[in-house]
Amino acid sequence: METLATHACFGGTQGFYRHASAACAGPMRFAVFVPAHAAGAKLPAVLALAGLTCTEETFAIKAGAQRIAAELGLVLVMPDTSPREPVLPGDRESWDFGQGAGFYVDATQAPFQAHYRMFSYVVDELPNLVASQFPVDSARIGVMGHSMGGHGALVAALRRPDRFRSCSAFAPIAAPTQCPWGHKAFGGYLGPDRATWAAYDACELMRAKPFAREILVDQGLADKFLVEQLRPELLEDAAKTSGQKLALRRHAGYDHGYFFIQSFVADHLAHHKRHL
């Protein structure tokens, strides 16, 4: 692991790092905020998965989360949203597919299958790395995310409750098998057999087996992607079907951006702290 930069932040340390990823077969960047803590302490951690076009820097710089994390004693872990090297054919041609748009799936289609393995990366490799290099209790890890990252957080928690003890999302892509963003990404990464897509659809997963703890979701009603791409009502229906405890909060006037996240990030971190 290589340290790229560290900064004092609310009594703790905001760091930016790079390592050789086995899951993605190349270099990956990530960021970690570690609050002040007693020597030898092991802290709960929350993975924060960012959305389309974002990097490991986006949540760290824009969300305003470190102050709250410092108060709560939470480590924040922020991965990049896709591999960046090597450059693959077609992975820089559009903003919603390829680089910056890994969709937190393990690709099965050429030429992406060797490198675009973001599900394995965020569920297994990165948490294990962070627990070995930082003061993190590997038994107390939560996951949250925004938009594409909200999709990733929901899928990660629903598929791997052994790894993640808490889950929340801002404006998640709730049912990627039923929206244009999901069709494009899943078609490219997973192929034309839509039966394989269900493994990365939060609504399908939730109907089959709910997450053991309440999931918190916030959605802005002025979000321009709400109707076509995000479809939170489908997540609500899936929760009702399975008995999933879901706090889906709708907020008039809020859009899809980070001012929305800043407004409610304290609620999300408090949610994780309660469960971790």
Side-chain angles (χ1 to χ4, degrees):
M1 186 183 77
E2 176 186 2
T3 300
L4 302 176
T6 59
H7 309 273
C9 184
F10 292 104
T13 302
Q14 175 63 62
F16 297 90
Y17 308 93
R18 178 169 53 206
H19 75 114
S21 167
C24 297
M28 290 292 292
R29 294 183 182 232
F30 65 100
V32 178
F33 171 72
V34 179
H37 59 282
K42 293 289 188 179
L43 306 178
V46 179
L47 266 69
L49 309 184
L52 291 165
T53 76
C54 295
T55 72
E56 75 285 354
E57 296 183 341
T58 310
F59 188 88
I61 293 171
K62 291 185 174 183
Q66 289 91 338
R67 178 180 62 80
I68 301 100
E71 293 172 357
L72 296 174
L74 290 171
V75 173
L76 300 177
V77 181
M78 295 149 278
D80 201 353
T81 53
S82 76
R84 305 288 172 170
E85 299 176 40
V87 175
L88 301 176
D91 77 349
R92 293 190 296 176
E93 293 178 0
S94 58
W95 65 275
D96 56 358
F97 183 82
Q99 290 197 11
F103 262 82
Y104 305 102
V105 304
D106 283 349
T108 60
Q109 302 299 297
F112 305 103
Q113 75 274 28
H115 301 283
Y116 278 69
R117 297 181 52 79
M118 291 298 295
F119 181 79
S120 292
Y121 181 69
V122 301
V123 168
D124 287 315
E125 184 176 19
L126 185 59
N128 290 339
L129 174 66
V130 168
S132 72
Q133 299 293 321
F134 298 90
V136 167
D137 181 352
S138 60
R140 293 189 293 157
I141 299 179
V143 62
M144 64 187 295
H146 169 232
S147 192
M148 177 186 73
H151 139 74
L154 292 169
V155 169
L158 287 162
R159 286 184 57 173
R160 289 293 303 276
D162 59 314
R163 169 65 79 184
F164 299 111
R165 287 179 53 181
S166 59
C167 179
S168 72
F170 290 96
I173 303 171
T177 62
Q178 300 185 59
C179 75
W181 278 340
H183 291 170
K184 182 175 182 177
F186 287 6
Y189 296 135
L190 304 176
D193 181 2
R194 295 196 176 196
T196 66
W197 297 7
Y200 297 102
D201 186 297
C203 291
E204 297 294 332
L205 293 167
M206 188 178 289
R207 287 191 193 96
K209 186 178 181 181
F211 188 61
R213 298 173 178 86
E214 182 179 67
I215 295 173
L216 173 62
V217 174
D218 279 312
Q219 175 63 61
L221 294 180
D223 190 321
K224 65 181 180 181
F225 303 116
L226 175 61
V227 174
E228 184 178 32
Q229 303 283 13
L230 306 179
R231 308 197 66 184
E233 72 281 358
L234 298 180
L235 191 68
E236 207 165 36
D237 290 344
K240 290 177 181 177
T241 298
S242 68
Q244 172 69 57
K245 296 178 181 178
L246 175 68
L248 175 53
R249 310 190 305 184
R250 294 173 169 88
H251 304 278
Y254 286 90
D255 61 21
H256 198 67
Y258 268 79
F259 294 117
F260 165 53
I261 294 175
Q262 290 173 21
S263 301
F264 301 103
V265 71
D267 291 350
H268 282 245
L269 294 181
H271 167 84
H272 288 277
K273 178 66 173 183
R274 284 194 300 273
H275 292 293
L276 296 175

